[in-house]
Amino acid sequence: MVTETPVRKPKPMLSGMRSLPEHVLVKVFVLLPLVALAAAVPFAWGWGLSWLDVGLGAFFFVVSGLGVTAGYHRHFTHGSFKARRPLRVALAIAGNLSAQGPATTWVADHRRHHAYSDRAGDPHSPWLFGTGPKALAKGFWHAHMGWLFEREVTNAERFAPDLLADRDIRRVDGLFPVWVAATFLLPAIAGGLITWSVWGGVTAFFWAGLVRVALLHHVTWSVNSICHMIGERPFASRDKAANFWPLAIFSFGESWHNLHHADPTCARHGVRRGQIDITARLIWIFEKLGWASQVRWPTPQRLNRLALQPDL
Ligand SMILES: [Zn+2]
Ligand SMILES: [Zn+2]
């Protein structure tokens, strides 16, 4: 008798469509900071830009930015290090403060990106429309932010079951609207209290809230768009991911994207001498403090195997 082995069908790639209210909210929170960014230069001309606004903006940029790079990306998506529970929760909260969606949604989209990178099914590849100038312009827009306006929802049950099963993360993610409110209001409150004026709160809300969120959005989106189009490709990856050095500092090391796609679980993306990777440095500090363990640092043997030319 032949016993049939049950074939486990993979769960579908998409879990459905966004509801209309949710869809509208995504648009508002993507476009509003962008409008602020466009208005930033004329406003700076009229109001001036205080050092306090710059300082608050930098602080919140670093916290929410590293929440995305060390938290959402290297820890939650790729498991490039293990984090003790308080650190894991703190990273999830810091990532939520980026206003880029809850951790689970972000991770599901990003794992889908790696599963299908630059092929059909990739949520944000610039190469889905062809290689002519017009197709690439369309592709750039789609990869940068156009994909956010599509209503398809990546199936978290397929791509992020580990996060769905994690009570801490479900709780943090459930409070996503609170974190988004906090990311705009905390700078305003700090600015108001430090200057002891309403106006100080207003300018801090504008610069360290809206403009900072827009800048971080664009840096993250540039990794999806620019770093899949322009740059060097010294390592063997199955896609068009490239190392784009001008973004290394602002992206906290994420723009060494070619190495990342060649070796996604590696905790350091800037692996060559002089390739600054601030996120990797932070993970190193977490490791020294005993908060992170089993960090997947690159080894020379592994890098040599991944390199297209061993002497590069
Ligand atoms: Zn990528
Ligand atoms: Zn990745």
Side-chain angles (χ1 to χ4, degrees), residues 110 113-114 117 124 223-224 228 241 257 260-261:
H110 192 68
H113 166 61
H114 277 267
S117 56
H124 47 66
V223 175
N224 298 337
H228 273 262
H257 205 56
H260 174 53
H261 273 263

Side-chain angles (χ1 to χ4, degrees), residues 199-284:
W199 188 241
V202 171
T203 61
F205 170 76
F206 180 77
W207 290 109
L210 289 171
V211 173
R212 178 262 313 176
V213 165
L215 282 177
L216 184 62
H217 275 169
H218 276 286
V219 170
T220 307
W221 299 338
S222 297
V223 175
N224 298 337
S225 57
I226 297 175
C227 295
H228 273 262
M229 298 178 92
I230 310 164
E232 292 167 359
R233 298 182 178 89
F235 295 100
S237 71
R238 291 171 301 152
D239 40 52
K240 299 264 192 189
N243 287 344
F244 185 67
W245 67 264
L247 267 177
I249 305 250
F250 273 109
S251 71
F252 301 135
E254 299 277 292
S255 74
W256 307 113
H257 205 56
N258 170 251
L259 180 278
H260 174 53
H261 273 263
D263 192 11
T265 57
C266 185
R268 175 182 292 282
H269 297 182
V271 292
R272 295 280 189 235
R273 185 186 276 269
Q275 293 186 340
I276 298 169
D277 186 335
I278 294 167
T279 306
R281 178 53 58 166
L282 180 72
I283 296 169
W284 179 84

Side-chain angles (χ1 to χ4, degrees), residues 52 188-204:
L52 178 64
I189 293 168
L193 288 179
I194 294 168
T195 62
W196 203 243
S197 69
V198 173
W199 188 241
V202 171
T203 61

